[in-house]
Structure formats: C-alpha cells, structure tokens
Amino acid sequence: MYPIQQGFNTYPITTQPETVNSAPIPGEDDGPVTIRTMHVDDAEFAGMMTVESFRGKYEWAVGKRRINAAIRADTHIMRQTRDQYQNHFIASYMGQRAGILHLKFHGETFSQPDENIYCQELGFCGTLGLCCMVCAIADETVEPRECYIDFICVDELFRGKGIGKVLMERGEFEARRRNCNRVSLYVAQDNRAVNLYRRQGFHVAKDKDGCLCTYCAVGIRRWYKMVKPLSPVVCA
C-alpha cells in the first residue's frame, strides 16, 4: 500500500505462455488450503487482517492502545464496501479462516464508505494519525495490465502451512485472468518478506526513499517496489 509511480516500463517475458482455462485454480483443488472471494460474513476477519498486515504502521500512526478500535473501524468499513469483495480473497485452512489477499487493478472505481466511523472509534488524534498514514502510503496508481498486491496476510496461528504461497499463486492467477502481464507490490526494505518475494520470482524494480513523509507517518523511510513478470495467457 504505497504509491506506484508513473512511467512503468514493460518487463521482458521469458517464460512460456500458459493456458489459464486448463490450469487448476489455486485454492480450489482438494488441498487443505481453500480460497474464495470475500463475503459479508468475513468482514470482521478482514478488518482484523487488514490491521494485522499493517500492524507496525497502525501502531505508529494511531498508537498501540487504539489498535482494537482500528480493527472495529476497519470491520465497519469492510461491511460497507461490498462492491470490492471481488478483489478480496479469503484463505481457509481445514475449514478455518486463515489469511487474506487484496488486489487492485487499473481503472477500478468503487463506492466510498462513510469514514466518520474512524472519528467515532479512534478520536481526533487517532484519526489524524490514520489520515497521515493513508496520505503517505495509500495513493498508488495502478497502471494498465498491472496487478497490485495491496496487502496479503496470514493469521499467525496458521503460518508455516503454505497458505501465503497459495494466496500469491491465486493472485497471479487472477492477474492473468484479467490480462495483466505483471504483479507488483511495495515492501519496506528491512522487511524479511523481501527474501520470500524474491523466491517467488519478484525482483526489485525501484528503490524508493520516502524521506520524512513516510517516516513521520508510519515510521518507515525506505521501500522497494518489487515486480514479477507474468507469462502471456493462451486461452484453451
């Protein structure tokens, strides 16, 4: 959830074309990890995972004592934004909700929720901190044929079971299905997930210095934009 800059160049594709219609859909096979689009009943889980995926940033922006209030507020927002459920994917492990993935695509427009709930839950200071966080890291521009991973998070109780990998694979599947040729994300340079993304085929496309803007807002200054080129799609 960090600004994507204009002028993104197309990366060379070196892999062979894939046939989406004949490939298994990640999370819809007979394995222990299942993935589906979000339902309204998932709002509380999604609100919790949204905050968890950015926990360090939320704690910096609104304070640790307001984390539960932030979860309540995000849960309320999730219930309002049903037109975005098509881009939220819920992972379950052995029937229990275990993770979430949120994707963004070029040219999408959605209804705007009533954000007064943040003032009610977080108070003036908490809402001000949250606004600074959003202004600093949430104004990304998704370019044509780009799939942007806004956030991905696995519940700590289910980590180490391959859920994150299946969620990433599902994200790539959805990107190809929508004719995207790359998947991108932003990650703090000192985040251990950088090595995980590299193993998944991502490379560093941009070294971004947010200077005081992002440091004051979320406590992080330096970021990587990481990109994974996708093979072209051949319809079956």
Side-chain angles (χ1 to χ4, degrees):
M1 203 163 93
Y2 190 90
I4 293 178
Q5 304 297 315
Q6 299 288 343
F8 189 91
N9 294 322
T10 301
Y11 287 87
I13 302 297
T14 58
T15 53
Q16 294 298 314
E18 295 187 10
T19 303
V20 169
N21 290 348
S22 63
I25 301 175
E28 294 191 9
D29 50 21
D30 295 328
V33 180
T34 59
I35 298 176
R36 56 172 173 77
T37 53
M38 181 176 165
H39 304 150
V40 69
D41 292 343
D42 301 313
E44 184 175 358
F45 176 78
M48 180 181 67
M49 287 291 98
T50 300
V51 174
E52 185 61 32
S53 63
F54 299 109
R55 189 175 186 89
K57 303 177 185 68
Y58 269 87
E59 288 183 351
W60 183 282
V62 308
K64 290 184 179 181
R65 66 184 180 87
R66 297 189 181 96
I67 288 297
N68 288 337
I71 292 173
R72 290 194 301 270
D74 277 355
T75 296
H76 184 83
I77 295 298
M78 286 290 181
R79 291 195 178 104
Q80 290 187 33
T81 54
R82 300 189 188 192
D83 56 343
Q84 298 185 37
Y85 287 3
Q86 61 183 337
N87 288 357
H88 285 82
F89 297 89
I90 304 295
S92 296
Y93 184 81
M94 305 296 288
Q96 299 184 65
R97 295 185 187 95
I100 188 170
L101 168 71
H102 181 219
L103 304 176
K104 290 186 176 181
F105 298 92
H106 175 72
E108 292 181 316
T109 57
F110 298 107
S111 60
Q112 295 300 310
D114 178 8
E115 297 181 344
N116 289 328
I117 186 65
Y118 288 115
C119 293
Q120 298 171 24
E121 292 287 354
L122 298 174
F124 175 77
C125 291
T127 302
L128 181 61
L130 185 66
C131 288
C132 291
M133 182 185 85
V134 171
C135 289
I137 67 174
D139 190 26
E140 70 275 2
T141 299
V142 183
E143 297 196 355
R145 302 197 68 192
E146 179 177 27
C147 171
Y148 179 68
I149 298 177
D150 187 37
F151 62 85
I152 179 172
C153 186
V154 176
D155 190 313
E156 63 180 358
L157 297 176
F158 296 94
R159 290 172 187 170
K161 301 181 183 300
I163 297 168
K165 182 176 184 294
V166 180
L167 279 169
M168 292 291 286
E169 291 172 350
R170 181 58 175 263
E172 293 174 20
F173 176 88
E174 296 295 332
R176 290 189 178 96
R177 188 159 70 173
R178 303 188 199 197
N179 199 34
C180 295
N181 62 10
R182 60 193 182 275
V183 178
S184 66
L185 55 84
Y186 268 89
V187 60
Q189 292 187 11
D190 60 355
N191 193 321
R192 290 180 297 176
V194 170
N195 292 327
L196 170 64
Y197 295 138
R198 282 196 171 106
R199 290 196 296 271
Q200 292 293 317
F202 285 79
H203 66 272
V204 175
K206 187 173 296 183
D207 183 330
K208 180 69 177 180
D209 185 351
C211 300
L212 288 179
C213 179
T214 60
Y215 182 79
C216 290
V218 297
I220 300 171
R221 174 175 173 175
R222 303 199 69 91
W223 308 77
Y224 287 137
K225 178 180 181 179
M226 302 190 74
V227 174
K228 180 176 182 178
L230 298 178
S231 57
V233 173
V234 176
C235 295

